[in-house]
Amino acid sequence: MTSNKISVPYGSGQLSFELPESCFSGTILPSGEDTSVGSPDDIIRSALAAPVGTKRLSESVGPSHKIAVIINDITRPTPSAYLIPFVLEELEAAGVPDENITFYFALGLHRANTEDEMKELLGEGVYSRYKFVQHEVGSYPVTSFGQTSRGTPIEIYEDIPKNDFIIGIGEIGFHYYAGYSGGAKSVLPGVSSESSVIANHKMMIEKNAVSGRVDSPVRADLEEAVKKVGLDFILNVVLDSRKQVVAAFAGDFIEAHRKGVLVVDALYKVKAPPADAVIVSCGGYPKDINLYQTNKALDNATQAVAEGGSIIVVSECRDGIGNDVYDRWNKSCKTAADAIARFKKEFEFGGHKAATTAAASIRFNLYLVSSLSDEAAREAFFEPCATIEEAIARVLSENPKAKFSVMPYGGQTLPVIEE
């Protein structure tokens, strides 16, 4: 029997496996990535030289301005250390002194970055030269800006709006309930209170709160909030599957973001036939840093498999589950039905991951190849497998004629099923 040897990202490396030719439906890959658009340096400088909807950054600030620069935490693939110097070039051209610039990590409700992670995110030179702050949830006073029309309290850590000018550095990709990452998300959830984040995220169960919908109610709500707070300028990039910059957009936090959304759609919305089974990798580290982040790839993979089929998730999960509440729900909800019923009665951020995975496990057979213990995988509604080949064999034992699709970059590929 002829087999295909296939590799998918796993942590900082790759996992290889063999799939019989007769079972192979195809690889679902981002499209158009090989189109030459110039060097990343040129792409970024061009974006900053011609921002969308605003003046150039170097023309918008002056020597007396206090500047807040918000960057993503370690769970995001944004190449912040690479991007920051381009922003600093603009600020230096405007005469802004080093002591007037503070970097803030957009933790949301995530854990704090370690010292090594902060050095990695900022770059050694910036780490040693500039001020930086990370607000662990609940650890710092907030300033209120009222609430949104949907009732979300707008509470931002109080030192950030004390700055004269706020800049967000981020990455635009699919997000499983905000539609897309990037843009206003630097502020909400990035540097917002727990109450703000939870109220906004409660909308994730609404109909349009799915990947690839720019009209997601979650995004509409957070953008309404950020208009009141003020996010003066963004630099957002689009990355290819190798985490290289292929497009950049600067300027107004909505207008520039929407330009990026068009590129993401062109690259990563891919038509695919429904398969009996999908083998999906998150795309490697940091997208597979923990099971919490892994769920984004799972969510996208559900769009490529026939109802009742199987999904084999390949994710290192070097940081384990990644969220204490998620872990607690996994341990306390003994069945998928338990998790779904609890979510309908009680919204708890982190618990939503247990509920959404539970719902997926009812529709599909879920297998997990990871560094998690078998017990932790089963608690999270997956069947653990030591290797991808073991998972394939288990699928074929149930359906000997199963056709498999492979998604090597599931965190950033959104299949659109062909009718």
Side-chain angles (χ1 to χ4, degrees):
M1 181 184 295
T2 306
S3 294
N4 289 301
K5 187 163 186 179
I6 302 169
S7 295
V8 295
Y10 180 83
S12 300
Q14 300 273 322
L15 283 187
S16 297
F17 60 96
E18 291 192 356
L19 184 65
E21 182 73 40
S22 60
C23 300
F24 184 49
S25 177
T27 303
I28 303 173
L29 285 169
S31 59
E33 286 196 338
D34 294 331
T35 302
S36 177
V37 290
S39 73
D41 285 18
D42 291 341
I43 291 168
I44 296 162
R45 285 200 171 95
S46 294
L48 288 168
V52 180
T54 67
K55 292 191 296 184
R56 186 166 178 162
L57 183 54
S58 58
E59 298 170 353
S60 301
V61 297
S64 65
H65 284 108
K66 302 286 187 182
I67 311 294
V69 183
I70 304 172
I71 66 171
N72 285 339
D73 71 355
I74 198 63
T75 66
R76 300 294 186 259
T78 311
S80 300
Y82 172 65
L83 299 175
I84 287 169
F86 295 97
V87 172
L88 290 176
E89 282 181 6
E90 290 284 309
L91 297 178
E92 288 164 8
V96 180
D98 291 1
E99 59 267 24
N100 282 13
I101 301 169
T102 304
F103 290 89
Y104 297 89
F105 292 96
L107 292 179
L109 301 185
H110 299 165
R111 68 162 174 81
N113 301 299
T114 66
E115 288 295 317
D116 285 345
E117 287 168 345
M118 288 191 287
K119 289 178 183 177
E120 177 184 340
L121 292 166
L122 290 167
E124 287 281 357
V126 173
Y127 178 85
S128 60
R129 179 176 168 184
Y130 292 90
K131 294 176 291 186
F132 54 87
V133 178
Q134 57 176 348
H135 301 103
E136 293 185 68
V137 63
S139 66
Y140 202 83
V142 297
T143 296
S144 175
F145 290 81
Q147 63 180 29
T148 68
S149 59
R150 294 171 174 82
T152 297
I154 308 170
E155 298 173 345
I156 309 299
Y157 292 113
E158 70 173 13
D159 52 336
I160 292 172
K162 289 178 180 178
N163 288 277
D164 302 302
F165 200 86
I166 302 175
I167 301 167
I169 294 178
E171 171 254 351
I172 304 173
F174 294 121
H175 190 278
Y176 73 108
Y177 54 82
Y180 298 84
S181 58
K185 286 182 94 273
S186 289
V187 175
L188 176 59
V191 290
S192 298
S193 74
E194 183 175 16
S195 296
S196 295
V197 176
I198 288 175
N200 172 258
H201 286 13
K202 281 184 178 179
M203 297 168 206
M204 69 173 62
I205 60 173
E206 295 186 21
K207 181 180 178 181
N208 291 335
V210 294
S211 288
R213 290 290 299 252
V214 78
D215 61 346
S216 162
V218 175
R219 175 158 289 280
D221 185 62
L222 65 86
E223 287 182 342
E224 179 186 344
V226 174
K227 284 179 183 177
K228 293 186 178 183
V229 175
L231 176 56
D232 300 294
F233 194 92
I234 64 168
L235 172 61
N236 278 191
V237 296
V238 178
L239 306 178
D240 67 12
S241 56
R242 297 174 296 278
K243 303 181 181 70
Q244 299 298 306
V245 173
V246 294
F249 301 90
D252 181 82
F253 78 88
I254 293 180
E255 292 182 47
H257 180 263
R258 297 300 190 268
K259 295 282 188 181
V261 162
L262 295 176
V263 174
V264 171
D265 283 355
L267 287 175
Y268 300 124
K269 277 188 176 177
V270 183
K271 288 186 177 180
D276 301 304
V278 173
I279 300 168
V280 59
S281 162
C282 302
Y285 179 83
K287 289 179 180 290
D288 69 352
I289 189 172
N290 54 45
L291 193 63
Y292 187 92
Q293 297 299 328
T294 296
N295 277 272
K296 297 172 183 177
L298 170 63
D299 184 71
N300 287 347
T302 64
Q303 307 303 307
V305 63
E307 198 73 23
S310 299
I311 301 173
I312 300 169
V313 179
V314 182
S315 177
E316 183 185 42
C317 300
R318 66 176 65 171
D319 269 10
I321 301 299
N323 179 278
D324 290 340
V325 176
Y326 181 24
D327 191 32
R328 175 160 47 80
W329 275 53
N330 287 345
K331 286 178 165 57
S332 61
C333 297
K334 300 305 180 185
T335 67
D338 287 346
I340 294 167
R342 180 173 173 181
F343 182 75
K344 289 179 179 179
K345 293 187 297 183
E346 169 195 356
F347 180 93
E348 187 176 16
F349 189 82
H352 69 288
K353 294 281 190 178
T356 54
T357 307
S361 74
I362 290 173
R363 297 175 58 202
F364 310 104
N365 302 308
L366 303 184
Y367 301 94
L368 180 65
V369 180
S370 74
S371 64
L372 294 177
S373 69
D374 288 358
E375 180 183 18
R378 290 194 179 98
E379 287 173 348
F381 309 109
F382 291 91
E383 279 299 311
C385 294
T387 64
I388 299 174
E389 285 90 348
E390 179 189 335
I392 292 169
R394 292 178 68 171
V395 173
L396 291 175
S397 70
E398 296 290 333
N399 180 5
K401 296 182 179 180
K403 295 288 188 180
F404 291 74
S405 291
V406 179
M407 290 176 61
Y409 308 103
Q412 61 191 131
T413 309
L414 184 62
V416 179
I417 293 294
E418 294 175 331
E419 298 297 334

